[in-house]
Amino acid sequence: MVRRLILVGGLVAAIVFAQAPPAKSTASIEQLAESGHCREALPLLKTALTRAIDQETKKRLGLDGVHCGMSLHDLDSAAGFLRSLSSAFPNDPEVLYLTVHVYSDLSISASQKLMVSAPTSYQVRLLNGEALEAQGKWDEAIAEYREVLNRNPDLPGIHYRVGRLVLSGPKTDENKKAAEREFEEELKVDPSNAGAEYILGELARQDQQFPAAIGHFERATKLDARFADAFIGLGRSMLEDGRNAEAVAPLQMAAKLRPDNPAAHFYLSTAYRRTGHPEEAQRELALHEQATEKVRQMKQEIETGVAEPQKIVH
């Protein structure tokens, strides 16, 4: 406490001011968090993070904040620290690894709470269906989704899920027609489902029903202006239908949206060549080759990254 004497109307009065305790150093806050005193450390970590300038310090404080938030089951705080880390260090392996685990833990926690609080809800059926789908048990997943539809026939997205799973099965005409029916039903429930329009377009294109394919792809691009695959499907269908000049614009958009997609450049090169633009065609072909090489290198790096931890060093 600090005591000061001031003169008020000729009288001496004592005014007592509360003196703020000295601020803890960043190192002491980190030590507090890492020694398990998270309840005390968490508010200090939040303040310290907003004041930190050094990037490495920001990262340490953020990581400690996430760990403390999770240990205290303070999911809002943990997610807040994680958002800060993801913004400041978007490609950092440690941050990305932690993000995977935190959101996985949050997902498990929320699903357990859902099953306890609303065991008969359709959302529990959806979770069961998603779990079965992830395990490759497609018929059982479809059965769960059917139960959801029996209770909630107008629920968006469920016919779409069933359609995708039907297409994942044996490649028969029967399955193809069954999947088409599911996507058509989905569009009755949710006319804004660009994915359903896209798949119907691709199925029509495979059957060489190009006008129908073009119609579905066009609707998909209008529903989602950043749907690069839909623009590729549209341009490719136009090429296959002989509408070469019309194919240029959607394929240009696809290449703009996804410059790393080899298919966009390949079909755009074809469109340029067919419409009498050899220089542009050659440029796009070169971009196609570059994008293809990048994809190959990425796959190789992923395979190497997965294989390396399995190596035993003696």
Side-chain angles (χ1 to χ4, degrees):
M1 307 291 282
V2 175
R3 186 180 299 272
R4 291 185 182 174
L5 299 180
I6 62 174
L7 186 63
V8 180
L11 299 175
V12 175
I15 305 295
V16 178
F17 295 91
Q19 186 176 27
K24 289 183 177 292
S25 68
T26 299
S28 64
I29 295 172
E30 291 176 34
Q31 185 178 11
L32 198 64
E34 292 164 12
S35 61
H37 296 84
C38 280
R39 197 167 299 281
E40 183 183 349
L42 197 59
L44 300 175
L45 286 166
K46 291 179 180 178
T47 302
L49 184 61
T50 61
R51 297 175 178 174
I53 298 174
D54 177 67
Q55 288 294 93
E56 187 58 34
T57 301
K58 282 185 178 181
K59 181 179 172 182
R60 291 197 310 270
L61 290 168
L63 293 173
D64 285 341
V66 173
H67 288 302
C68 275
M70 295 300 291
S71 69
L72 294 172
H73 302 288
D74 185 345
L75 305 185
D76 287 340
S77 292
F81 280 109
L82 197 58
R83 283 193 295 270
S84 296
L85 284 170
S86 299
S87 176
F89 310 97
N91 300 313
D92 186 283
E94 189 174 9
V95 172
L96 292 171
Y97 179 81
L98 182 63
T99 301
V100 171
H101 282 276
V102 168
Y103 283 120
S104 175
D105 290 346
L106 290 174
S107 175
I108 292 170
S109 174
S111 64
Q112 290 172 342
K113 189 174 181 181
L114 173 62
M115 290 178 184
V116 170
S117 61
T120 60
S121 65
Y122 77 80
Q123 288 88 349
V124 170
R125 287 277 189 182
L126 278 178
L127 282 180
N128 290 338
E130 290 166 1
L132 291 166
E133 188 176 340
Q135 296 168 37
K137 299 177 180 179
W138 295 327
D139 289 340
E140 294 165 76
I142 289 173
E144 287 291 330
Y145 293 144
R146 293 284 187 210
E147 282 299 320
V148 173
L149 285 171
N150 288 339
R151 299 183 190 183
N152 306 271
D154 296 328
L155 191 66
I158 310 306
H159 283 290
Y160 178 76
R161 295 187 188 201
V162 173
R164 284 192 304 105
L165 289 177
V166 171
L167 285 178
S168 299
K171 308 300 181 185
T172 64
D173 289 340
E174 183 181 355
N175 277 352
K176 193 172 186 179
K177 290 176 181 177
E180 286 176 345
R181 287 194 297 270
E182 293 297 334
F183 295 124
E184 288 165 358
E185 287 298 315
E186 179 62 37
L187 288 169
K188 291 178 185 177
V189 175
D190 179 16
S192 67
N193 192 314
E197 289 284 9
Y198 170 78
I199 297 177
L200 285 170
E202 186 58 26
L203 293 175
R205 189 196 64 77
Q206 291 172 10
D207 287 342
Q208 297 186 336
Q209 298 174 3
F210 300 123
I214 289 168
H216 285 299
F217 285 130
E218 282 183 331
R219 285 190 288 275
T221 61
K222 289 176 182 177
L223 290 168
D224 184 352
R226 300 193 63 79
F227 198 163
D229 285 340
F231 282 103
I232 293 174
L234 177 56
R236 182 179 180 183
S237 297
M238 286 176 168
L239 287 174
E240 292 174 349
D241 198 35
R243 296 162 61 173
N244 299 319
E246 294 175 69
V248 173
L251 291 169
Q252 285 176 331
M253 179 59 73
K256 181 179 178 181
L257 290 171
R258 288 287 306 279
D260 58 340
N261 189 318
H265 296 293
F266 175 79
Y267 292 114
L268 182 54
S269 174
T270 302
Y272 279 140
R273 179 170 50 80
R274 290 184 182 179
T275 53
H277 298 85
E279 292 182 4
E280 289 86 346
Q282 190 59 39
R283 182 194 66 213
E284 290 300 323
L285 192 59
L287 290 172
H288 161 70
E289 293 172 355
Q290 292 172 17
T292 301
E293 178 60 20
K294 285 183 180 179
V295 171
R296 187 195 67 77
Q297 289 178 357
M298 187 178 298
K299 287 181 179 178
Q300 185 176 8
E301 288 172 3
I302 292 172
E303 291 171 359
T304 302
V306 171
E308 276 184 348
Q310 300 173 2
K311 295 178 181 177
I312 300 176
V313 180
H314 298 283

